[in-house]
Amino acid sequence: AGNADATYAAILAIDPSDPGALEARLRRELPAARRGEREAVQHVVTALRSLATLAGEDSSRLATELRLAILVEGSANGASDGPGAREALAHYREALRLDPLSVTAATGLARTANRLNDTEGAVAAASALAELASEPGARSRYLLEAAELLLSTEADERLGTYFERRQRASSLLERALDADADAIGAATVLCAVRTEDGAGERLVDPLRSALRRAKNVEAIIFYGSEIARIARDDLADLPLGIDAMRRVRAVAPDHAPSLLTLSELCIAQRAWPEAVDALESVVDKAREVPPRLTALFALASIYEHVLERPGDAETALRSALELDPAGARALRALIRHVSTHHAPTLESLS
């Protein structure tokens, strides 16, 4: 064994890139290197570095890069930063370039990038893990992670300009929402980014797609409410907002804020029957007083000024006064209404 080691050492002294000698040294020293023997680790790392530069086929190069990355990372002695960890990251990064579907490369890159706070590596790892994930929720979470890294204030300049990073993050968030329609976290970040960038109209298509597929009630409420806001404030497309809020009502018939939004859109569209129906649902189903009062005042106004049903308007105002006996608004509105429609019976209020 000693003569063989000396022979290989002599060959490598003459030609450090001799493939046969490198492979032989690698085979002989690898068991000791795996046990952590420092000298063996150094010899194996040196051999692998040389073999990596000599490898012609991608498959051979990939195997060498991964072996080198694992060995160098393991010999870094737990240091969170340092040349060993950085070299391991570089080898994992190259392995992932050679095979974007390599689980070992993706997980190794994620691990070392996290240790080194390397944003570019972490984004690449999260993106690769998203492609590898078979479960929609996991895929969505990895895409969200990559997007949040791109949006972080410490984003790596290698990832592009501020605008390029935000565009790329938005694309990843749309993919996250496409992968998992119930990914409300991804949707929240996407809405914030698009709104801040003045591109709210670009939210409509991904949100409508998610709204059709989502099963989580909270997610459906969020998507519908966002679509309604954009339809009303940015696009002046009331039917779009009404359609979204109808979907919300179908799964959350007791959600007072959504019912009030639907009624508001219907009032603006002059769809009075649906507006009244939504407001009456708030009165019947809401547990808290403020939304019920809002609905009653809106009903009274529609009954009196639009549908010409003063009796129903008075009933709505009296219900509001019962709900809030100390409230001046209901009392003033009822006095005005009674004095207008049947002044002779004003004493009935006393």
Side-chain angles (χ1 to χ4, degrees):
N3 291 336
D5 288 339
T7 300
Y8 296 137
I11 295 172
L12 292 172
I14 298 171
D15 182 6
S17 63
D18 184 275
L22 289 169
E23 290 284 1
R25 167 165 279 187
L26 185 62
R27 286 193 301 271
R28 296 178 66 85
E29 303 265 16
L30 193 56
R34 287 172 174 163
R35 293 193 297 270
E37 296 181 17
R38 186 180 299 275
E39 186 176 356
V41 169
Q42 292 175 346
H43 288 163
V44 169
V45 168
T46 300
L48 285 171
R49 285 171 180 161
S50 298
L51 288 170
T53 63
L54 296 172
E57 298 180 2
D58 283 353
S59 57
S60 176
R61 176 78 180 276
L62 173 64
T64 302
E65 292 287 352
L66 288 175
R67 293 169 75 182
L68 188 52
I70 294 169
L71 190 60
V72 171
E73 182 187 8
S75 65
N77 296 322
S80 61
D81 195 356
R86 294 197 173 279
E87 183 181 353
L89 183 143
H91 290 302
Y92 282 127
R93 192 73 178 85
E94 177 61 15
L96 192 61
R97 186 192 67 80
L98 292 168
D99 181 7
L101 298 180
S102 170
V103 176
T104 302
T107 55
L109 181 60
R111 189 170 54 250
T112 51
N114 181 62
R115 288 171 59 187
L116 295 167
N117 293 318
D118 187 294
T119 306
E120 192 272 342
V123 169
S127 300
L129 289 169
E131 294 301 319
L132 290 166
S134 58
E135 198 273 316
R139 177 179 171 82
S140 180
R141 287 191 294 274
Y142 282 127
L143 289 167
L144 173 59
E145 178 184 340
E148 289 179 330
L149 287 165
L150 285 166
L151 295 169
S152 69
T153 55
E154 300 178 357
D156 195 315
E157 291 183 358
R158 292 172 293 174
L159 294 168
T161 64
Y162 173 81
F163 177 76
E164 290 169 340
R165 293 199 303 270
R166 289 179 73 83
Q167 290 297 104
R168 185 177 170 191
S170 296
S171 177
L172 290 171
L173 291 166
E174 288 182 0
R175 289 172 56 197
L177 201 53
D178 185 60
D180 181 7
D182 291 321
I184 192 170
T188 301
V189 179
L190 177 62
C191 288
V193 174
R194 290 297 195 199
T195 301
E196 289 171 7
D197 291 347
E201 71 282 354
R202 298 184 64 179
L203 288 167
V204 173
D205 287 343
L207 289 179
R208 289 185 74 188
S209 174
L211 182 63
R212 286 192 297 268
R213 296 177 290 114
K215 294 180 173 58
N216 179 276
V217 174
E218 290 185 6
I220 291 171
I221 292 172
F222 178 78
Y223 303 152
S225 300
E226 283 297 302
I227 293 170
R229 177 186 63 80
I230 296 165
R232 180 192 59 211
D233 299 342
D234 299 339
L235 302 179
D237 187 346
L238 295 174
L240 172 64
I242 291 172
D243 183 64
M245 296 314 297
R246 284 171 178 163
R247 164 75 170 124
V248 174
R249 187 179 186 182
V251 299
D254 299 341
H255 190 253
S258 299
L259 289 168
L260 289 174
T261 299
L262 175 59
S263 68
E264 178 187 341
L265 293 169
C266 289
I267 290 170
Q269 186 70 5
R270 298 183 180 277
W272 304 115
E274 188 169 2
V276 168
D277 183 64
L279 291 169
E280 289 178 343
S281 292
V282 175
V283 175
D284 293 339
K285 298 176 180 179
R287 297 180 180 179
E288 298 180 351
V289 170
R292 294 177 68 191
L293 283 174
T294 299
L296 285 166
F297 287 128
L299 280 170
S301 179
I302 294 172
Y303 287 145
E304 180 176 1
H305 301 294
V306 178
L307 302 180
E308 298 182 353
R309 291 159 52 182
D312 289 334
E314 182 175 337
T315 300
L317 291 173
R318 289 187 181 278
S319 296
L321 190 59
E322 289 177 8
L323 269 180
D324 186 19
R329 181 183 177 186
L331 181 60
R332 285 198 302 265
L334 183 57
I335 292 173
R336 181 201 58 76
H337 178 83
V338 172
S339 64
T340 300
H341 292 280
H342 37 97
T345 62
L346 251 179
E347 62 274 9
S348 64
L349 291 175
S350 58

